[in-house]
């Protein structure tokens, strides 16, 4: 492991990020073949927050937020800060002072595989955060990590500049190289869904709309009137 | 395991369901002798939702929501859909399209031993859901399960047609055969509680109201003025 | 283990409690050298609740709330009830009737290493509770424990009369003997933070404000333009 | 919930139990369509234990082993005792004295959705146990449950007399009515596997032996020489 | 929190420690009224290890084993080292070099609310350890804690000099002041158990031996021949 | 996500792999700056197994082991198979038939972020496996993933051809490019440790051997004779 800060990263095109953000996590994740979703233990600190941006990444040791301070300087408007740790941790490695700094730089949110504190302030400031825990447990600043190297966060490998989309359904990461394709597939999905919702609301069954009856029968599903006696 | 769909189930009487719903989960659970409560990891997806209905049950494999689509057709107004899985799972097996379908059929809510997605839409639609997780992770439709067979959900065995009551305190299941008795006991409890609340608010101690002083003394409780030195 | 109730406990001075409450959990915890914080699985039952008070302690067996009833009588205005259990437990050992009693006595909140029920009522009553779970699972009243003896709750040893501060960031406990010193340190921290927040909002980097550049360099942090090829 | 003890239960035929035991958990579970497996948190207390028998069931409250004492009398040679609890629990509800009693009655093992104690003695006595935890935490005898009613254990509903097979891979339950069919399917599976093992050991690929190449290609799997550049 | 090392601690009498060790964890825990048991997530690193000694305590920050090095010097023959952390942690804070040091000083074992490494060496050296995890994750030496102050470990408050008994059933802590009484009660329990074991092995039922039939009947237990129809 | 199989991967030099294996997980992990360690929930299925090899990687959906069958063909002598999943899962995705295939190809072990079955056979065959769970739960073969693409396993990103070292202390991954440097540093550490062990066994304190007394004093550690009164 090299304890480095990488200054120049290639960010995904802002227009693609915006369109992925408009699609939302569930649609983007489906459009990407159901990969790239962080584990569901990463939850929004406050309800209603949403974020779409390009990843600036931090690799930290648990209970040590020194590298987050270092990372702030590398952030640009439109970024999302992504923090991975070298071991499981729930300490509050991030609070309202760091959030103030990130907001001043136009950062759109934080995804952290650890805890955060000042939950109430974060909500009042409107800075969206996805974390593993809320904990007042403070941290030291004693061990180096790295900034803008690939990091694993919530079970997903994130490269600097990748797209990060986060909402109430979780956090999904799309590699730069795949962003355009996922936008296209996702927008098509969304368009299809609108029509489906109307039909379903009108009482048309998914069984019929998706033509499932035949494959279900072929797979062996049997309809009976009563539960058979043992 | 038979991969079947049972069409005709015997639902608990709607009037009993309504009265159990009015009692709420905590009272119903006490009235049933403190059994029938699903494990507390099943939490409401949005605060304030409540549901009382008759169970239509789904047995599914994790990450596969094919049988939920099948189950929609078996639902009637007043039902609550209950989904059990053959292994632990947090995938988002249910989202707003399925919720649209269920609402169109008059279903009162969903209890699922897995994850759901489209959390924000579910809240906006007002469709109450109790789940193990929120996760955008989508699912396949490839393996059969069963509909309206007994399923274990949240650690409780649910028979089709049983009463399901769910609120912020959790989810409780009352077998058809016991519903009338539980209504009677629960309504009596509730009547008793109102008076108690007033007394307690007036400062009367539970110790006196419940006549606990004597049994506590008999059990060996001792009052001392100071913590004894070691 | 002696099954006793200690009547006279030495409570921390009310003025100190008030000032610690004004500081909030995160600041108090830092000021105490990052000790005394309960584990982050203890979460507020409803958002926005805050409590600061002196501990009345209960040692209970899981699933048995007899001793909580006993403890009510020992509570005074300004207390916070702290309940530890002899084994892990999520049962709903506390509900709205006990909350009514505690409010009638001027108690400021409950911290319980177990579950609670009547979550909706607790929110509506405005009685703040920090618990491990929400569960309708009721309890028995059959085994003695103790009141106002030292108890471990959320991984922290709490002595009767200690200060308990709880908010959205968690629960912190300060021993009586350390309260004055923690107030002093905490108030100094808070004063320092206000100025920092302004600077950070204006775009000044923490790297500069905290003079981190030199120690980072000395520790070996290297800035590079591009991620080195493997 | 009725607090009853059911004396007469219909046990699965002993010959079928024996043959299911010879197949082992993994094969039986597959032969039953991948249903009926208890959750993997249930682990053998000592390595190498195996059990196959007919279920005598206990429904208990956590931390209370009164009903296990009651159940002993209902056990016959060839039974496996299955204990479910009304809430999550790790207390040591079973130890070497109860094991002595069960061995005296010819019981083949214990499956308990809670903790056990005297782990060393259980191993030395050779009494096989599958539990959720090992814990010295003792229990009370104060609340009634039931014996030989259906109970949920490890996420599976167990009816009295059902077949319980347990080994290092876990615990599987087969309903009486399905035992004969599962024996037949399982024995066929096992016969098929022996041949497969030889072929695989000789280096024949599963890809070829199971004819997977065509369906993989059809599903869209592509072989490339190098990982494509992003 | 004071960052201190306390040199002189009052150790429990060695003879009492020895007799408590001979009783084993389960008996000692019962004799102490079912209190004092650490949570069951603390497990022996290798099977068969047992330890009984007087506590030397360490309060550490997670991922930092500096204070364990400090504590070694305070250990005497017959001690057990007990390490609590200020937050949850699974890092390997202890390995074979520290074990070599402790063995050189006659220490009987380690109980640590975190991880350990060199599991194989610890087994080969015969140094018994109870820990929360096995993990190679190393630690830093950068933050002070304390030695021989009260610490919470596995949910139990441990005072320096208290008795620590550990075996396959877990870890129990008996305060100095209670050791003599617990020895007396425990030895009486053990004597009683021997006779019971013989009777149970001979087929006498616990129901009769413990005279449970009458209280069960009074509590409302009913024997029926068949499970009642719903 | 592309559903591809990459045929040609660049494996780390076999001599380096061998020397890293000789160092063991704890030393390698330290030599790599305390990064690269998989989470401690990955445990050896049987005690005493060790493996050192080059990674062949599999990206699978939970409950679906189709891609493991595909991966077997890509394995060479000296490889370790590493399986990551797109969501949390404990199903038994690997058993003795697949192990037979891998052994026939000279594969040294399996690391899988899911469950395995046939635990007893795996131990008897001597095929070392590190997994998240043991579970008989079988799997389907219905959804494509990928082989020899980067995968996250146990929280670590693994590139095909990276070094995987696994023993009782866990699993550590060293990127190809860093292997030589880690070997050098690790062998130096090991040489240093031998001398230290002798000194510690002779009773020399780590405090003196590591010259900690001065830095501890400077950091503020105070030795006192008695615990100060509160």
């Amino acid at each position: 492991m090299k304890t480095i800060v990488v200054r120049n990263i290639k960010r995904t095109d802002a227009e693609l990020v915006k369109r992925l953000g408009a699609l939302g996590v569930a649609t983007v994740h489906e459009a990407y073949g159901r990969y790239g979703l962080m584990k569901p233990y990463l939850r929004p600190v406050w309800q209603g927050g949403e974020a779409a941006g390009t990843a600036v990444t931090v690799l930290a040791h648990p209970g040590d937020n020194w590298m987050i301070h270092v990372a702030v300087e590398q952030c640009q408007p439109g970024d999302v800060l992504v923090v991975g740790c070298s071991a499981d941790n729930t300490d509050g490695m991030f609070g309202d002072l760091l959030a103030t700094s990130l907001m001043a730089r136009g950062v759109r949110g934080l995804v952290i595989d650890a805890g955060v504190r000042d939950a109430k302030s974060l909500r009042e400031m409107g800075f969206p955060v996805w974390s593993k825990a809320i904990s007042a447990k403070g941290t030291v600043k004693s061990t180096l990590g790295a900034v803008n190297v690939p990091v694993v966060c919530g079970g997903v490998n994130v490269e600097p500049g990748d797209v990060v989309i986060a909402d109430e359904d979780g956090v999904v990461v799309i590699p730069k190289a795949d962003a355009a394709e996922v936008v296209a597939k996702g927008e098509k999905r969304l368009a299809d869904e609108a029509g489906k919702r109307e039909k379903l609301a009108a009482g048309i069954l998914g069984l019929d709309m998706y033509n499932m009856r035949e494959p279900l029968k072929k797979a062996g599903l049997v309809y009976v009137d009563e539960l058979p006696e043992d």
Side-chain angles (χ1 to χ4, degrees), chain A:
Chain A
M1 247 306 299
K2 287 179 187 67
T3 51
I4 56 174
V5 180
V6 179
R7 279 203 194 93
N8 300 334
I9 63 172
K10 228 163 113 177
R11 289 171 169 85
T12 308
D13 173 69
E15 176 63 20
L16 291 176
V17 174
K18 194 178 155 190
R19 286 163 72 186
L20 286 169
L23 291 171
V25 172
T27 299
V28 166
H29 166 66
E30 283 287 347
Y32 190 49
R34 293 188 292 122
Y35 284 98
L37 187 74
M38 291 190 187
K39 300 203 175 180
Y41 64 70
L42 285 168
R43 295 299 303 148
V45 167
W46 49 273
Q47 197 181 53
E50 294 182 358
T54 41
V56 165
T57 63
V58 178
L59 181 47
H61 280 293
D64 190 317
N65 71 355
W66 215 12
M67 299 316 288
I68 301 182
H69 287 276
V70 172
V72 172
E73 190 179 24
Q74 306 305 317
C75 289
Q76 297 181 2
D79 285 339
V80 167
L81 196 65
V82 176
V83 182
C85 285
S86 63
D88 277 351
N89 182 241
T90 58
D91 292 356
M93 292 172 64
F94 182 96
D96 58 6
L97 289 183
L98 278 164
T100 301
S101 256
L102 289 182
M103 288 184 87
R105 295 187 80 78
V107 172
R108 296 200 180 144
L110 169 78
V111 179
I112 183 166
D113 208 340
V116 298
R117 51 182 171 173
D118 304 328
K120 190 181 171 187
S121 298
L122 295 174
R123 187 172 69 242
E124 289 170 353
M125 295 164 71
F127 185 76
V129 173
W130 287 256
S131 75
K132 189 176 170 172
I134 293 170
S135 166
K137 184 72 165 64
T139 46
V140 295
K141 292 164 197 9
S142 69
T143 309
L144 295 186
V147 173
N148 280 333
V149 300
V151 300
V152 173
C153 178
V156 172
N157 193 47
V158 186
E159 308 267 342
D162 282 353
V163 190
V164 179
I165 310 293
D167 60 23
E168 284 185 45
D169 284 349
V171 184
V172 70
V173 179
I174 304 297
K176 276 180 294 294
D178 298 316
E181 187 188 335
V182 175
V183 164
K185 286 191 185 166
E187 291 179 347
K188 192 172 172 322
R189 279 190 79 88
L190 210 62
D192 292 353
E193 270 194 11
K196 284 181 195 166
R197 191 169 290 109
E198 269 177 50
K199 286 189 194 168
L200 294 169
I204 294 177
L205 288 170
L207 282 178
D208 297 311
M209 194 173 78
Y210 301 115
N211 295 314
M212 286 175 175
R213 295 195 191 270
E214 198 53 38
L216 283 165
K217 196 176 169 183
K218 200 178 287 177
L221 190 68
V222 176
Y223 285 76
V224 298
D225 282 345
E226 308 289 339
L227 188 65
E229 289 279 319
D230 278 349

